Amino acid sequence: MGWKYYSISTSTWGDKVRLFPTQFTGGRALNTGSSGMATFHGRDVQVAGPITIDTIRPLERVLVAEWDGNAVYAGFIQSITEDLDAGIITVNHTDIWWLWKFRYLLHVHGDGAQTATPVTFSNLTLASIANRIVAKGLDAEPAARYDLPLIFTADVAGTDSRSYEGFKFPRVDYTLQEVIDTEGGPDVEFDNRWALGVETIEWVMRSGDLTSGFWEWDATAPMTDVRRLKLTTDASKVSNKFIGTGEGSGNKMLVRDASAFTGTAPALERVESFSAIKDGGELQARANAEVNAKNGPTQQLSFQIPVTGAVKVGELILGGTARVKSSGLYFLSAGQHDWRLIQFTFDRDWITMQFQEIGG
Protein backbone atom coordinates (compact mmCIF):
# COMPACT_ATOMS: atom_id res chain seq x y z
CA MET A 1 0.00 0.00 0.00
CA GLY A 2 1.04 3.67 -0.09
CA TRP A 3 2.69 5.47 -3.01
CA LYS A 4 3.54 3.87 -6.33
CA TYR A 5 4.81 5.72 -9.40
CA TYR A 6 4.49 4.83 -13.07
CA SER A 7 5.54 5.99 -16.52
CA ILE A 8 2.76 5.89 -19.16
CA SER A 9 2.95 6.28 -22.95
CA THR A 10 1.17 9.26 -24.53
CA SER A 11 0.73 7.17 -27.67
CA THR A 12 -1.31 4.34 -26.14
CA TRP A 13 -1.98 5.82 -22.66
CA GLY A 14 -0.76 2.45 -21.43
CA ASP A 15 2.65 0.72 -21.47
CA LYS A 16 2.68 1.05 -17.69
CA VAL A 17 6.23 0.92 -16.26
CA ARG A 18 6.77 1.20 -12.51
CA LEU A 19 9.45 3.69 -11.45
CA PHE A 20 11.20 4.24 -8.11
CA PRO A 21 11.91 7.94 -7.57
CA THR A 22 13.69 9.12 -4.44
CA GLN A 23 11.40 12.16 -4.41
CA PHE A 24 8.10 12.92 -6.15
CA THR A 25 5.90 16.00 -5.90
CA GLY A 26 2.65 16.86 -7.64
CA GLY A 27 -0.79 18.28 -7.05
CA ARG A 28 -4.15 19.32 -8.38
CA ALA A 29 -5.87 22.71 -8.51
CA LEU A 30 -9.35 23.98 -9.31
CA ASN A 31 -9.61 26.05 -12.52
CA THR A 32 -5.88 25.99 -13.16
CA GLY A 33 -2.95 23.66 -13.63
CA SER A 34 -0.38 22.11 -11.33
CA SER A 35 3.08 20.63 -11.75
CA GLY A 36 5.75 18.68 -9.91
CA MET A 37 9.15 17.07 -9.94
CA ALA A 38 10.58 13.57 -9.65
CA THR A 39 14.20 12.77 -8.82
CA PHE A 40 16.04 9.53 -9.41
CA HIS A 41 19.45 8.31 -8.29
CA GLY A 42 20.72 7.08 -11.62
CA ARG A 43 23.49 4.92 -10.12
CA ASP A 44 21.07 2.94 -7.94
CA VAL A 45 20.50 -0.45 -9.62
CA GLN A 46 16.82 -0.59 -8.61
CA VAL A 47 16.24 2.90 -9.94
CA ALA A 48 18.45 2.78 -13.01
CA GLY A 49 16.85 -0.44 -14.27
CA PRO A 50 13.45 1.01 -15.30
CA ILE A 51 14.87 4.47 -16.06
CA THR A 52 15.64 4.54 -19.77
CA ILE A 53 15.43 7.16 -22.47
CA ASP A 54 12.08 5.62 -23.43
CA THR A 55 10.48 5.74 -19.95
CA ILE A 56 11.24 9.43 -19.33
CA ARG A 57 11.12 10.83 -22.85
CA PRO A 58 9.68 14.39 -22.81
CA LEU A 59 6.05 14.73 -23.97
CA GLU A 60 5.92 11.08 -24.98
CA ARG A 61 5.55 9.86 -21.38
CA VAL A 62 3.30 10.80 -18.45
CA LEU A 63 4.30 10.23 -14.83
CA VAL A 64 1.48 8.96 -12.61
CA ALA A 65 1.46 9.03 -8.80
CA GLU A 66 -0.80 6.38 -7.27
CA TRP A 67 -1.90 6.11 -3.65
CA ASP A 68 -3.45 2.78 -2.61
CA GLY A 69 -4.50 2.02 -6.18
CA ASN A 70 -5.92 5.50 -6.94
CA ALA A 71 -4.25 7.58 -9.66
CA VAL A 72 -3.91 10.86 -7.75
CA TYR A 73 -1.88 12.83 -10.28
CA ALA A 74 -0.71 12.52 -13.89
CA GLY A 75 1.93 14.85 -15.31
CA PHE A 76 3.34 15.19 -18.82
CA ILE A 77 7.15 15.12 -18.76
CA GLN A 78 8.51 18.50 -19.84
CA SER A 79 12.21 18.48 -19.04
CA ILE A 80 15.00 16.28 -17.68
CA THR A 81 18.17 17.45 -15.98
CA GLU A 82 21.02 14.95 -15.68
CA ASP A 83 23.61 15.75 -13.02
CA LEU A 84 26.47 13.42 -13.93
CA ASP A 85 28.66 14.17 -10.88
CA ALA A 86 25.83 13.67 -8.38
CA GLY A 87 24.32 10.77 -10.31
CA ILE A 88 20.87 12.36 -10.07
CA ILE A 89 18.18 12.66 -12.75
CA THR A 90 15.51 15.33 -12.20
CA VAL A 91 12.27 15.10 -14.19
CA ASN A 92 9.87 18.06 -14.32
CA HIS A 93 6.25 17.35 -15.21
CA THR A 94 2.97 19.25 -15.52
CA ASP A 95 -0.68 18.26 -15.65
CA ILE A 96 -3.17 18.28 -18.52
CA TRP A 97 -4.05 21.99 -18.12
CA TRP A 98 -0.71 22.83 -19.75
CA LEU A 99 -1.88 21.36 -23.07
CA TRP A 100 -4.72 23.88 -23.41
CA LYS A 101 -2.15 26.63 -24.10
CA PHE A 102 -1.36 24.84 -27.36
CA ARG A 103 -4.84 23.96 -28.64
CA TYR A 104 -7.19 26.22 -30.61
CA LEU A 105 -10.91 26.47 -31.40
CA LEU A 106 -10.77 26.16 -35.18
CA HIS A 107 -12.60 24.40 -37.98
CA VAL A 108 -9.44 24.63 -40.10
CA HIS A 109 -6.05 24.33 -38.42
CA GLY A 110 -3.96 26.37 -40.84
CA ASP A 111 -4.60 28.43 -43.94
CA GLY A 112 -8.37 28.68 -44.22
CA ALA A 113 -9.00 29.31 -40.54
CA GLN A 114 -9.35 33.02 -41.32
CA THR A 115 -12.31 32.45 -43.69
CA ALA A 116 -13.98 29.47 -42.02
CA THR A 117 -17.31 29.83 -40.24
CA PRO A 118 -17.02 30.61 -36.51
CA VAL A 119 -17.01 27.82 -33.95
CA THR A 120 -20.36 28.32 -32.23
CA PHE A 121 -21.98 26.75 -29.17
CA SER A 122 -25.62 27.73 -28.63
CA ASN A 123 -28.32 27.36 -25.98
CA LEU A 124 -26.24 25.54 -23.41
CA THR A 125 -25.23 26.03 -19.78
CA LEU A 126 -21.83 27.62 -19.22
CA ALA A 127 -20.61 24.28 -17.82
CA SER A 128 -21.55 22.55 -21.08
CA ILE A 129 -19.88 25.30 -23.11
CA ALA A 130 -16.70 24.68 -21.09
CA ASN A 131 -16.92 20.99 -22.04
CA ARG A 132 -17.46 21.88 -25.69
CA ILE A 133 -14.43 24.21 -25.70
CA VAL A 134 -12.11 21.46 -24.48
CA ALA A 135 -13.68 18.85 -26.78
CA LYS A 136 -13.16 21.12 -29.79
CA GLY A 137 -9.50 21.38 -28.81
CA LEU A 138 -9.24 17.62 -29.39
CA ASP A 139 -10.95 17.75 -32.79
CA ALA A 140 -8.26 17.94 -35.46
CA GLU A 141 -6.03 15.77 -37.62
CA PRO A 142 -4.07 13.63 -37.13
CA ALA A 143 -6.57 12.34 -34.58
CA ALA A 144 -3.96 10.12 -32.92
CA ARG A 145 -2.01 13.25 -31.93
CA TYR A 146 -4.91 15.52 -31.01
CA ASP A 147 -7.25 13.11 -29.23
CA LEU A 148 -6.95 12.37 -25.50
CA PRO A 149 -8.61 9.79 -23.23
CA LEU A 150 -10.88 12.48 -21.82
CA ILE A 151 -14.45 11.78 -20.66
CA PHE A 152 -17.12 14.50 -20.81
CA THR A 153 -20.57 14.75 -19.28
CA ALA A 154 -23.61 15.12 -21.53
CA ASP A 155 -24.65 18.58 -22.73
CA VAL A 156 -27.25 20.44 -20.68
CA ALA A 157 -29.58 22.91 -22.39
CA GLY A 158 -29.36 26.50 -21.19
CA THR A 159 -29.50 30.13 -22.18
CA ASP A 160 -25.84 30.81 -22.92
CA SER A 161 -24.01 30.86 -26.25
CA ARG A 162 -20.48 31.55 -27.46
CA SER A 163 -19.02 32.14 -30.93
CA TYR A 164 -15.31 32.08 -31.79
CA GLU A 165 -14.02 33.48 -35.06
CA GLY A 166 -11.20 31.61 -36.73
CA PHE A 167 -9.22 34.70 -37.78
CA LYS A 168 -8.73 35.50 -34.06
CA PHE A 169 -7.21 32.06 -33.45
CA PRO A 170 -8.91 31.59 -30.05
CA ARG A 171 -6.86 29.46 -27.67
CA VAL A 172 -8.53 26.81 -25.53
CA ASP A 173 -7.01 28.04 -22.26
CA TYR A 174 -8.13 31.68 -22.82
CA THR A 175 -11.65 30.81 -23.91
CA LEU A 176 -12.08 28.27 -21.13
CA GLN A 177 -10.91 30.79 -18.54
CA GLU A 178 -13.34 33.40 -19.90
CA VAL A 179 -16.26 31.03 -19.32
CA ILE A 180 -14.99 30.10 -15.84
CA ASP A 181 -14.58 33.77 -14.88
CA THR A 182 -17.94 35.02 -16.11
CA GLU A 183 -20.91 35.52 -13.78
CA GLY A 184 -22.46 32.11 -13.12
CA GLY A 185 -19.49 30.37 -14.70
CA PRO A 186 -18.51 26.82 -13.75
CA ASP A 187 -15.59 25.47 -11.80
CA VAL A 188 -13.48 23.04 -13.82
CA GLU A 189 -11.05 20.27 -13.01
CA PHE A 190 -9.65 17.22 -14.77
CA ASP A 191 -9.76 14.18 -12.51
CA ASN A 192 -7.31 11.52 -13.65
CA ARG A 193 -7.94 7.83 -12.97
CA TRP A 194 -7.08 4.35 -14.15
CA ALA A 195 -9.55 3.22 -16.82
CA LEU A 196 -11.82 0.45 -15.55
CA GLY A 197 -10.43 -3.00 -16.27
CA VAL A 198 -7.40 -1.80 -18.27
CA GLU A 199 -3.93 -0.51 -17.47
CA THR A 200 -4.40 2.91 -19.09
CA ILE A 201 -4.83 6.42 -17.73
CA GLU A 202 -7.85 8.63 -18.49
CA TRP A 203 -9.23 11.99 -17.38
CA VAL A 204 -12.78 12.99 -16.43
CA MET A 205 -13.67 16.64 -17.01
CA ARG A 206 -15.69 17.93 -14.05
CA SER A 207 -17.45 21.17 -14.90
CA GLY A 208 -20.15 23.01 -12.99
CA ASP A 209 -20.99 23.63 -9.34
CA LEU A 210 -18.36 21.31 -7.85
CA THR A 211 -19.24 20.75 -4.20
CA SER A 212 -18.80 16.99 -3.61
CA GLY A 213 -16.66 15.96 -0.66
CA PHE A 214 -16.74 16.72 3.08
CA TRP A 215 -14.02 16.36 5.71
CA GLU A 216 -13.50 17.54 9.28
CA TRP A 217 -10.32 18.53 11.12
CA ASP A 218 -9.86 19.85 14.64
CA ALA A 219 -6.68 21.94 14.62
CA THR A 220 -7.05 22.57 18.37
CA ALA A 221 -6.94 18.89 19.41
CA PRO A 222 -3.74 17.66 21.16
CA MET A 223 -3.18 14.82 18.65
CA THR A 224 -4.42 16.63 15.54
CA ASP A 225 -3.20 15.71 12.06
CA VAL A 226 -3.13 19.42 11.19
CA ARG A 227 0.30 21.05 10.89
CA ARG A 228 1.49 24.50 9.75
CA LEU A 229 -1.96 26.10 9.66
CA LYS A 230 -1.87 29.53 8.01
CA LEU A 231 -4.61 32.10 7.39
CA THR A 232 -4.02 34.76 4.74
CA THR A 233 -6.28 37.83 4.55
CA ASP A 234 -5.40 39.68 1.34
CA ALA A 235 -6.72 43.02 0.05
CA SER A 236 -4.05 43.53 -2.64
CA LYS A 237 -6.42 42.58 -5.48
CA VAL A 238 -9.51 44.43 -4.28
CA SER A 239 -11.38 46.46 -6.90
CA ASN A 240 -14.78 47.90 -6.02
CA LYS A 241 -15.25 49.49 -9.43
CA PHE A 242 -14.59 47.34 -12.50
CA ILE A 243 -14.70 48.52 -16.10
CA GLY A 244 -14.49 45.95 -18.87
CA THR A 245 -13.79 46.82 -22.49
CA GLY A 246 -14.75 44.53 -25.34
CA GLU A 247 -14.53 44.55 -29.12
CA GLY A 248 -14.06 47.77 -31.05
CA SER A 249 -11.94 50.88 -30.75
CA GLY A 250 -12.31 54.58 -30.09
CA ASN A 251 -15.83 55.76 -29.38
CA LYS A 252 -17.23 52.53 -30.83
CA MET A 253 -15.59 50.34 -28.19
CA LEU A 254 -17.94 48.09 -26.21
CA VAL A 255 -17.77 49.00 -22.48
CA ARG A 256 -19.56 47.64 -19.42
CA ASP A 257 -18.99 48.34 -15.72
CA ALA A 258 -19.98 47.08 -12.29
CA SER A 259 -19.37 48.36 -8.76
CA ALA A 260 -19.88 47.26 -5.15
CA PHE A 261 -18.83 49.87 -2.61
CA THR A 262 -19.19 47.85 0.59
CA GLY A 263 -17.37 48.80 3.77
CA THR A 264 -15.32 52.01 3.95
CA ALA A 265 -12.37 51.20 1.69
CA PRO A 266 -11.35 53.90 -0.83
CA ALA A 267 -12.47 53.56 -4.42
CA LEU A 268 -10.24 51.14 -6.31
CA GLU A 269 -10.86 51.05 -10.04
CA ARG A 270 -9.65 48.46 -12.47
CA VAL A 271 -10.01 48.48 -16.24
CA GLU A 272 -9.43 45.29 -18.18
CA SER A 273 -9.67 44.48 -21.88
CA PHE A 274 -11.64 41.51 -23.24
CA SER A 275 -11.21 42.30 -26.91
CA ALA A 276 -12.68 38.97 -28.03
CA ILE A 277 -16.06 39.76 -26.42
CA LYS A 278 -18.48 41.52 -28.75
CA ASP A 279 -21.76 40.82 -26.92
CA GLY A 280 -22.82 43.38 -24.30
CA GLY A 281 -24.50 40.77 -22.10
CA GLU A 282 -21.38 38.63 -22.01
CA LEU A 283 -19.23 41.60 -21.13
CA GLN A 284 -21.62 42.71 -18.36
CA ALA A 285 -21.60 39.20 -16.89
CA ARG A 286 -17.82 39.26 -16.87
CA ALA A 287 -17.75 42.67 -15.16
CA ASN A 288 -20.27 41.49 -12.55
CA ALA A 289 -18.20 38.39 -11.80
CA GLU A 290 -15.00 40.40 -11.44
CA VAL A 291 -16.41 42.89 -8.97
CA ASN A 292 -18.29 40.23 -7.00
CA ALA A 293 -15.09 38.26 -6.54
CA LYS A 294 -12.85 41.21 -5.71
CA ASN A 295 -14.89 43.83 -3.85
CA GLY A 296 -13.36 42.92 -0.51
CA PRO A 297 -10.35 41.15 1.02
CA THR A 298 -10.15 37.41 0.39
CA GLN A 299 -9.21 34.78 2.93
CA GLN A 300 -7.38 31.54 2.29
CA LEU A 301 -6.54 28.81 4.77
CA SER A 302 -3.74 26.30 4.30
CA PHE A 303 -2.36 23.45 6.35
CA GLN A 304 -0.60 20.11 6.04
CA ILE A 305 -1.73 16.63 6.97
CA PRO A 306 0.35 13.42 6.86
CA VAL A 307 -0.26 11.04 3.96
CA THR A 308 -0.84 8.33 6.56
CA GLY A 309 -3.45 10.40 8.43
CA ALA A 310 -7.18 9.78 8.77
CA VAL A 311 -7.95 11.52 5.45
CA LYS A 312 -6.07 9.99 2.52
CA VAL A 313 -4.93 11.86 -0.58
CA GLY A 314 -7.14 9.64 -2.76
CA GLU A 315 -10.21 10.90 -0.85
CA LEU A 316 -9.64 14.57 -1.63
CA ILE A 317 -12.05 16.08 -4.16
CA LEU A 318 -11.47 19.60 -5.43
CA GLY A 319 -14.42 21.81 -4.57
CA GLY A 320 -15.32 19.81 -1.48
CA THR A 321 -15.93 21.32 1.96
CA ALA A 322 -13.64 21.09 4.98
CA ARG A 323 -15.04 21.90 8.42
CA VAL A 324 -12.04 23.11 10.40
CA LYS A 325 -11.97 23.98 14.09
CA SER A 326 -9.30 26.56 14.93
CA SER A 327 -8.46 29.23 17.48
CA GLY A 328 -5.91 31.97 18.14
CA LEU A 329 -6.31 33.84 14.83
CA TYR A 330 -6.98 37.60 14.65
CA PHE A 331 -9.03 37.54 11.45
CA LEU A 332 -11.05 34.39 12.16
CA SER A 333 -13.19 33.78 15.21
CA ALA A 334 -12.45 30.67 17.27
CA GLY A 335 -14.59 27.64 16.45
CA GLN A 336 -15.68 25.71 13.38
CA HIS A 337 -15.70 27.25 9.92
CA ASP A 338 -16.40 25.73 6.51
CA TRP A 339 -13.78 26.09 3.78
CA ARG A 340 -13.68 24.99 0.14
CA LEU A 341 -10.75 22.90 -1.13
CA ILE A 342 -9.25 24.63 -4.19
CA GLN A 343 -5.80 23.02 -4.40
CA PHE A 344 -3.59 20.35 -2.91
CA THR A 345 0.03 19.38 -3.41
CA PHE A 346 1.87 16.36 -2.09
CA ASP A 347 5.23 14.71 -1.57
CA ARG A 348 6.04 11.32 -0.08
CA ASP A 349 5.07 12.31 3.46
CA TRP A 350 2.76 15.32 3.47
CA ILE A 351 -0.31 16.74 1.74
CA THR A 352 -0.55 20.53 1.70
CA MET A 353 -4.05 21.87 1.09
CA GLN A 354 -5.30 25.33 0.12
CA PHE A 355 -8.84 26.38 1.06
CA GLN A 356 -10.96 29.36 0.11
CA GLU A 357 -13.60 30.87 2.34
CA ILE A 358 -17.06 29.64 1.39
CA GLY A 359 -18.53 32.35 -0.79
CA GLY A 360 -15.10 33.93 -1.33
Side-chain angles (χ1 to χ4, degrees):
M1 305 300 279
W3 289 115
K4 291 182 180 179
Y5 308 98
Y6 297 94
S7 170
I8 298 293
S9 166
T10 60
S11 174
T12 64
W13 307 107
D15 186 22
K16 190 175 176 183
V17 179
R18 187 173 178 187
L19 303 180
F20 299 88
T22 53
Q23 296 181 38
F24 193 106
T25 62
R28 300 245 294 275
L30 203 62
N31 300 327
T32 190
S34 190
S35 60
M37 178 184 68
T39 58
F40 302 87
H41 282 290
R43 293 182 182 139
D44 187 307
V45 174
Q46 185 186 32
V47 173
I51 290 292
T52 69
I53 193 171
D54 292 321
T55 56
I56 57 170
R57 192 183 293 274
L59 301 182
E60 296 186 12
R61 305 296 292 191
V62 169
L63 296 186
V64 178
E66 173 192 284
W67 177 267
D68 286 354
N70 295 308
V72 174
Y73 169 87
F76 292 79
I77 295 176
Q78 282 193 313
S79 66
I80 299 100
T81 301
E82 301 178 65
D83 187 330
L84 190 61
D85 289 344
I88 293 175
I89 301 168
T90 302
V91 180
N92 293 294
H93 46 83
T94 190
D95 70 10
I96 195 171
W97 283 89
W98 174 77
L99 291 181
W100 310 142
K101 298 177 183 180
F102 308 100
R103 298 293 180 94
Y104 291 79
L105 299 181
L106 299 169
H107 288 311
V108 179
H109 290 256
D111 188 15
Q114 67 274 31
T115 57
T117 58
V119 173
T120 302
F121 311 124
S122 301
N123 301 317
L124 296 167
T125 64
L126 289 172
S128 290
I129 290 174
N131 289 346
R132 288 282 195 95
I133 287 170
V134 174
K136 186 61 178 173
L138 313 183
D139 181 22
E141 295 294 335
R145 295 298 184 89
Y146 278 89
D147 199 18
L148 295 167
L150 185 51
I151 300 184
F152 301 94
T153 55
D155 282 345
V156 177
T159 59
D160 289 285
S161 299
R162 291 291 189 276
S163 184
Y164 303 103
E165 295 164 312
F167 65 84
K168 294 182 177 179
F169 291 91
R171 240 166 57 180
V172 167
D173 63 335
Y174 284 158
T175 54
L176 181 59
Q177 197 65 52
E178 183 276 321
V179 170
I180 290 170
D181 289 343
T182 200
E183 187 177 30
D187 286 311
V188 172
E189 85 131 338
F190 297 91
D191 185 8
N192 45 257
R193 69 185 186 187
W194 296 121
L196 187 63
V198 293
E199 296 289 290
T200 59
I201 198 73
E202 65 184 11
W203 286 265
V204 178
M205 184 174 177
R206 301 174 63 225
S207 179
D209 185 16
L210 306 183
T211 58
S212 298
F214 182 81
W215 317 275
E216 290 188 85
W217 285 280
D218 183 354
T220 67
M223 300 297 290
T224 182
D225 278 347
V226 176
R227 299 285 187 276
R228 298 185 178 180
L229 186 145
K230 297 179 182 178
L231 176 70
T232 302
T233 304
D234 184 7
S236 65
K237 296 182 180 179
V238 167
S239 58
N240 39 36
K241 178 74 172 185
F242 183 86
I243 303 169
T245 64
E247 190 176 64
S249 61
N251 59 13
K252 294 184 179 180
M253 178 180 288
L254 182 66
V255 178
R256 293 292 185 272
D257 66 271
S259 59
F261 289 102
T262 58
T264 61
L268 297 163
E269 280 189 340
R270 184 159 60 95
V271 180
E272 191 166 338
S273 173
F274 307 101
S275 59
I277 297 180
K278 59 182 179 180
D279 179 83
E282 285 182 30
L283 187 58
Q284 186 65 62
R286 183 64 186 267
N288 293 344
E290 290 287 338
V291 82
N292 288 340
K294 297 172 181 174
N295 64 8
T298 59
Q299 285 192 312
Q300 288 197 359
L301 187 78
S302 67
F303 57 85
Q304 292 183 332
I305 58 173
V307 295
T308 54
V311 176
K312 309 300 183 187
V313 67
E315 299 170 18
L316 297 176
I317 306 172
L318 293 177
T321 298
R323 183 161 293 164
V324 183
K325 185 177 180 181
S326 61
S327 64
L329 297 164
Y330 282 109
F331 284 90
L332 186 68
S333 60
Q336 290 184 332
H337 297 271
D338 287 351
W339 299 83
R340 190 166 187 239
L341 179 64
I342 59 170
Q343 181 178 358
F344 66 87
T345 57
F346 61 85
D347 57 24
R348 283 185 175 274
D349 302 312
W350 294 94
I351 308 161
T352 302
M353 296 172 292
Q354 301 285 339
F355 298 92
Q356 189 177 63
E357 57 182 325
I358 298 292

